Amino acid sequence: MCGMPQPPPVRSTLTRPPRPDASMSLLTNVMDHSLDDGYAEAAARKKAEGAGGMPRTVRARLGLAAGLVLAALVVTVGAAQARIAAPTVAKERQELIDRIQRETAAADKLEASVDGLRDDVSARQRAALKNQGDGNDLVGILSGAVAVHGPGVKLAVNDAKEATTGGDGNPRETSGFSDTGRVRDRDMQRVVNGLWESGAEAIAINGQRLTALSAIRAAGDAILVDNRPLVPPYTVLAVGDGQRLSTRFQNSADGLYLHALQQNYGIRTAISTEGDVRLPAAPSVIVRTAQQSTGKGTS
């Protein structure tokens, strides 16, 4: 035994486990303590004081229950009232629509009746104003009681492209008119007077014949001719010597005024000579006191 050789000592192959990385420790700490200690302490204190959760006293619980019942009651009553009122509202709406349609139909019928009566009156007036001597209806032509046609001019006057509804009072004396560019009643008055002065024998604006009793005025932003509202563009037809009438009007003070409106305010205008323009008779020419002269002198 003593002579046998001794085996070499066995060395252990086990090694010491590695030291955990610092970043892993931080992640583990965050996962284990996701709630900040201050928040956790505040939550524990609040729970201990009884501030969270359901009311603890019977009175508080009864108040909460009463509030919930009241809210449910209000919602239920509101829904029921809405359900009940819906058919009534729909019925009233339909009744209102039916009434509007009936009144509109009645107004259309009355308007048609008025147009028929106006035509009848105009025919009677034309017959009464007709010159019995030579058969010419000169009085009716000059008074606007009969339709006329002949050579003349066509003048279109329109608002500026960027026209708005601003401007009160006298807009051209305010800085706001440059932002409106709207044609005013006084503009159309000057246009008509300039055409008369330049030799026009009969004038109509948007199909509305002008007479010695015609009035051009404003109602808000609308222009009225004999109390009838007109909408732009305004088309003025005038019977007369076409080329001469056009030249004289453009060179007149009123024609230059219209040109200044075009240059300074953007009012759009266009004038052209026409070989034949047709003007309707005035809708109502009422003669109450004038009588046809017999041609005999008076002393």
Side-chain angles (χ1 to χ4, degrees):
M1 293 294 293
C2 293
M4 294 182 63
Q6 297 292 329
V10 179
R11 294 183 179 181
S12 175
T13 59
L14 297 177
T15 59
R16 188 176 181 180
R19 185 177 181 180
D21 187 70
S23 59
M24 293 297 296
S25 300
L26 180 59
L27 292 175
T28 304
N29 184 49
V30 170
M31 294 180 63
D32 293 340
H33 304 282
S34 59
L35 185 63
D36 186 79
D37 294 339
Y39 286 106
E41 182 181 354
R45 184 172 61 253
K46 189 174 182 181
K47 183 177 181 181
E49 293 175 355
M54 296 295 294
R56 295 179 177 275
T57 64
V58 176
R59 184 175 182 180
R61 292 180 179 178
L62 291 176
L64 178 60
L68 294 175
V69 171
L70 181 60
L73 181 62
V74 170
V75 173
T76 303
V77 172
Q81 289 180 347
R83 190 180 298 109
I84 295 174
T88 303
V89 172
K91 182 180 179 181
E92 292 178 352
R93 181 176 181 274
Q94 186 60 43
E95 290 178 352
L96 181 59
I97 293 175
D98 294 340
R99 181 179 178 184
I100 292 174
Q101 292 176 347
R102 289 195 304 269
E103 296 298 334
T104 301
D108 293 340
K109 185 178 180 179
L110 290 175
E111 185 175 357
S113 177
V114 169
D115 290 340
L117 292 175
R118 183 181 290 115
D119 293 340
D120 182 65
V121 170
S122 297
R124 293 174 182 271
Q125 289 174 345
R126 288 193 294 270
L129 293 173
K130 190 172 183 179
N131 191 328
Q132 299 180 359
D134 54 5
N136 295 326
D137 199 7
L138 179 61
V139 176
I141 293 175
L142 296 178
S143 65
V146 296
V148 297
H149 72 94
V153 298
K154 177 181 179 181
L155 176 61
V157 183
N158 198 1
D159 295 337
K161 291 183 178 180
E162 303 298 330
T164 61
T165 58
D168 296 327
N170 187 352
R172 293 198 170 85
E173 294 180 357
T174 64
S175 60
F177 181 77
S178 60
D179 298 328
T180 65
R182 295 183 63 87
V183 179
R184 304 296 178 177
D185 57 330
R186 63 178 65 86
D187 303 332
M188 299 308 300
Q189 291 172 2
R190 295 201 59 167
V191 167
V192 169
N193 290 335
L195 288 172
W196 285 126
E197 185 179 1
S198 300
E201 299 174 1
I203 300 176
I205 304 177
N206 285 15
Q208 184 70 20
R209 181 75 174 274
L210 300 182
T211 68
L213 303 177
S214 295
I216 301 176
R217 60 186 185 87
D221 289 323
I223 295 179
L224 306 182
V225 175
D226 292 336
N227 294 324
R228 290 195 173 189
L230 305 181
V231 295
Y234 307 103
T235 302
V236 184
L237 297 178
V239 175
D241 187 345
Q243 188 60 47
R244 182 181 179 185
L245 178 60
S246 174
T247 302
R248 292 185 62 180
F249 171 75
Q250 294 184 69
N251 294 331
S252 67
D254 298 312
L256 295 176
Y257 169 82
L258 187 61
H259 181 70
L261 294 184
Q262 181 181 12
Q263 294 294 322
N264 299 328
Y265 303 104
I267 300 297
R268 292 171 287 175
T269 65
I271 187 170
S272 61
T273 58
E274 303 291 332
D276 184 57
V277 294
R278 295 183 176 273
L279 277 60
S284 59
V285 179
I286 300 175
V287 180
R288 294 187 175 90
T289 58
Q291 298 179 2
Q292 184 176 357
S293 175
T294 59
K296 296 180 180 180
T298 56
S299 57

